[in-house]
Amino acid sequence: TEKRAQLKARTDAALALVGLSHAASKRPGEISGGMKQRVGIARALSMEPKVLLMDEPFGALDALTRARLQDELLEIVATTQATVVMVTHDVDEAVLLADRVLVLTARPGRVGAEE
């Protein structure tokens, strides 16, 4: 099992990756929606995955927070070298963030196009 000091170090590193070191002691009710989204990303990153699966990660955010988190995600991927598989309905977001884009058909959900 992981020792408390190791767990704290891993947690602190994940919070630093998403720019939330300053909010480490805040309670869930004390943080914004964008911060909650970053906590979710930090939680996933703390496991040091090789592949990060994201389903509409920025869908419920305002435009400014969304843009900031998209930039942060690009930095995180550059730092961690993790592969990210993201589902999004936002074509601009897909083009901005992706190395490869697959467009799925409505039903039965097959690959309709690839860029």
Side-chain angles (χ1 to χ4, degrees), residues 4-33:
R4 185 173 291 243
Q6 292 170 318
L7 181 60
K8 177 154 179 27
R10 197 160 46 104
T11 301
D12 290 344
L15 287 174
L17 267 178
V18 297
L20 286 177
S21 296
H22 68 283
S25 63
K26 292 192 182 284
R27 308 294 298 164
E30 299 173 328
I31 61 176
S32 69

Side-chain angles (χ1 to χ4, degrees), residues 32-33 38-39 47:
S32 69
R38 287 191 279 171
V39 167
M47 301 309 294

Side-chain angles (χ1 to χ4, degrees), residues 16-85:
L17 267 178
V18 297
L20 286 177
S21 296
H22 68 283
S25 63
K26 292 192 182 284
R27 308 294 298 164
E30 299 173 328
I31 61 176
S32 69
M35 292 171 87
K36 288 178 183 175
Q37 205 65 22
R38 287 191 279 171
V39 167
I41 294 170
R43 181 180 296 144
L45 291 172
S46 71
M47 301 309 294
E48 300 173 355
K50 290 186 170 121
V51 178
L52 185 61
L53 304 176
M54 303 178 91
D55 185 6
E56 296 282 351
F58 311 128
L61 302 174
D62 63 87
L64 291 175
T65 304
R66 174 189 288 250
R68 187 171 60 246
L69 289 180
Q70 289 170 339
D71 290 341
E72 287 180 13
L73 179 62
L74 289 172
E75 290 177 23
I76 289 165
V77 169
T79 301
T80 64
Q81 296 297 303
T83 297
V84 178
V85 177

